[in-house]
Amino acid sequence: MTELTAQKQTTLDQIGAATTLDALEEQRVAALGKKGWVSLALKTLGSMSPDERKEVAPAIQAVRGEVAAAIDAKKGELESAALEAQLASETIDLTLPAPDMAKGSVHPVSQVMDELAEIFADLGFAVATGPEIEDDWHNFTALNMDESHPARAMHDTFYFPDAAADGGNPASSSEAVGQKRMLLRTHTSPVQIRSMKEQGAPIRIIAPGRVYRSDSDATHTPMFHQVEGLVIDRDIHLGHLKWTLETFFKAFFEREDITLRLRPSYFPFTEPSVEFDVGYANEGDRRVVGGHGDAPGHDWMELGGSGMVNRRVLEFAGVDPDEYQGFAFGLGIDRIAMLKYGMNDLRAFFDGDPRWLSHYGFSPYDQPTLSAGVGARP
Ligand code: PHE
């Protein structure tokens, strides 16, 4: 028994001195393991007389209990110390800068809109906006397309269910209902009306944004993007329009050899009306803007519509057509984005495929600026 007590004391001392879980485990095996001294002591009980056993057995069990309790206590101590150490070593310093990881990218349409704004801002244009859910009056009537105008039919308009008609207002004439009829704007031209009504003349704005037409194939999607331009002042003429478009395209495509061709056309809201084409060359399966469209290996590509704002439109917008006149143009943003950055299927623009975006998208750090270049490469 004295031997047992001595051994117990040694073991308790060593448990107390253990600094690692491994050292502690060694003590556990040496004492309580199959061949440990406590286990061996228990085995001696078999050869004892019943009386002797009655006396010794509880003593050995007590030693066993003491040793086991000491190990448990020490184990808890070491484990919580280890946890504290781990927590201390894994602390995150939230004040450190974020790791340099590429996340998301700027869609080519957004990029081109930023480029447009940058170039036109330099020419003194402000950016104007209007609602995509537009009323009939702003989208058509005020642009000199009354109810019966055949040009309306060419717009493949998405109309909303006629809210005013079932509103049960007996006073509303059918004409008033017609004017209030809501639709998804078919072009950005209604922003001309809204801007002139708000700001009057003189005015110099561009209005980029989404437009909608019920039309869809490889080159048409039901939603697409246009940018409208409007300049109203005294003494504005068609020459200003041509210079403005040429200056814009040179800056946008970053080349000097841009040739524009104005072709007579018809829009109800401009008079005279011209469509503008740009010369391009086929290089492989890519169209590259530049050069004269009639030169060998070249052709003309239509980019948009324009003209001198019809005096009827100025009247609708509250601007005196005897004092002011000016030009307007509209052009497809998606198309010039495809031309500049070399995509050939418009539909992929709006599929939301992250692989397409990471290929054609732009870094948010590449802000288009006239000094650094409006032609960031993906
Ligand atoms: N709104 C016309 C269209 O969508 C384009 C245009 C704008 C034409 C301004 C003339 C002047 O087709």
Side-chain angles (χ1 to χ4, degrees):
M1 273 310 294
T2 35
E3 202 189 312
L4 210 60
T5 313
Q7 212 149 16
K8 180 190 83 178
Q9 199 47 59
T10 320
T11 300
L12 288 183
D13 289 348
Q14 277 167 342
I15 289 172
T19 54
T20 66
L21 285 166
D22 283 347
L24 189 63
E25 176 65 5
E26 248 171 58
Q27 292 305 314
R28 191 192 64 78
V29 172
L32 310 177
K34 255 193 201 152
K35 290 180 181 152
W37 58 268
V38 176
S39 309
L40 293 180
L42 283 169
K43 273 187 196 149
T44 62
L45 292 175
S47 58
M48 288 180 192
S49 70
D51 279 349
E52 218 180 343
R53 200 182 297 146
K54 228 183 239 167
E55 198 192 317
V56 178
I60 300 177
Q61 292 297 2
V63 167
R64 186 176 191 243
E66 250 184 278
V67 170
I71 289 174
D72 271 356
K74 188 69 185 181
K75 195 172 176 204
E77 224 176 86
L78 290 175
E79 277 175 351
S80 58
L83 184 63
E84 287 301 327
Q86 189 183 4
L87 286 176
S89 72
E90 288 179 1
T91 321
I92 295 170
D93 184 351
L94 296 176
T95 64
L96 288 173
D100 189 18
M101 249 194 300
K103 290 201 198 85
S105 54
V106 176
H107 194 283
V109 170
S110 306
Q111 172 76 18
V112 167
M113 283 189 182
D114 289 347
E115 293 175 13
L116 285 168
E118 178 68 16
I119 295 167
F120 278 107
D122 195 49
L123 299 175
F125 287 67
V127 174
T129 55
E132 288 168 33
I133 297 176
E134 188 51 284
D135 59 61
D136 192 276
W137 189 83
H138 286 92
N139 196 80
F140 290 125
T141 309
L143 289 163
N144 198 28
M145 283 181 272
D146 67 19
E147 300 278 292
S148 59
H149 202 289
R152 282 191 176 213
M154 292 165 55
H155 278 233
D156 300 312
T157 313
F158 287 114
Y159 284 100
F160 284 89
D162 203 338
D166 56 38
N169 179 1
S172 62
S173 69
S174 68
E175 196 179 323
V177 170
Q179 304 289 302
K180 269 271 158 257
R181 202 166 166 202
M182 301 306 282
L183 46 83
L184 291 176
R185 68 178 181 190
T186 56
H187 50 178
T188 43
S189 299
V191 186
Q192 288 185 34
I193 306 297
R194 291 184 176 273
S195 305
M196 284 190 278
K197 274 183 151 299
E198 262 166 41
Q199 301 171 34
I203 192 171
R204 209 185 295 183
I205 53 126
I206 57 162
R210 295 191 179 114
V211 299
Y212 303 83
R213 289 186 201 178
S214 173
D215 193 0
S216 159
D217 58 38
T219 53
H220 297 87
T221 48
M223 185 281 296
F224 57 104
H225 299 84
Q226 282 189 337
V227 59
E228 194 80 7
L230 174 70
V231 173
I232 302 289
D233 209 329
R234 300 178 175 93
D235 310 319
I236 298 290
H237 55 74
L238 217 52
H240 293 126
L241 167 66
K242 189 165 192 235
W243 181 87
T244 303
L245 290 174
E246 250 164 25
T247 304
F248 163 68
F249 284 122
K250 282 178 184 170
F252 180 75
F253 288 111
E254 294 181 298
R255 49 196 297 169
E256 279 301 308
D257 65 341
I258 298 286
T259 318
L260 271 194
R261 179 177 76 174
L262 301 189
R263 250 181 316 106
S265 182
Y266 173 77
F267 298 102
F269 33 96
T270 46
E271 180 58 37
S273 300
V274 289
E275 279 175 312
F276 48 95
D277 306 333
V278 68
Y280 74 92
N282 278 313
E283 284 180 17
D285 60 352
R286 241 196 104 173
R287 291 178 163 189
V288 178
V289 170
H292 196 281
D294 291 335
H298 286 65
D299 207 346
W300 297 104
M301 184 182 349
E302 183 193 327
L303 287 187
S306 61
M308 297 303 293
V309 177
N310 192 307
R311 38 186 304 131
R312 295 263 294 149
V313 172
L314 295 175
E315 278 164 10
F316 273 118
V319 168
D320 180 358
D322 291 325
E323 189 177 357
Y324 289 103
Q325 73 287 126
F327 64 80
F329 62 85
L331 98 119
I333 290 179
D334 312 293
R335 166 169 287 192
I336 60 170
M338 290 167 80
L339 274 174
K340 183 167 178 178
Y341 293 115
M343 306 84 167
N344 45 29
D345 191 345
L346 176 65
R347 289 168 297 194
F349 270 59
F350 311 121
D351 281 346
D353 185 330
R355 291 165 301 182
W356 186 89
L357 251 184
S358 69
H359 183 76
Y360 287 111
F362 294 83
S363 161
Y365 302 118
D366 284 338
Q367 289 294 319
T369 60
L370 290 175
S371 54
V374 288
R377 295 282 150 191

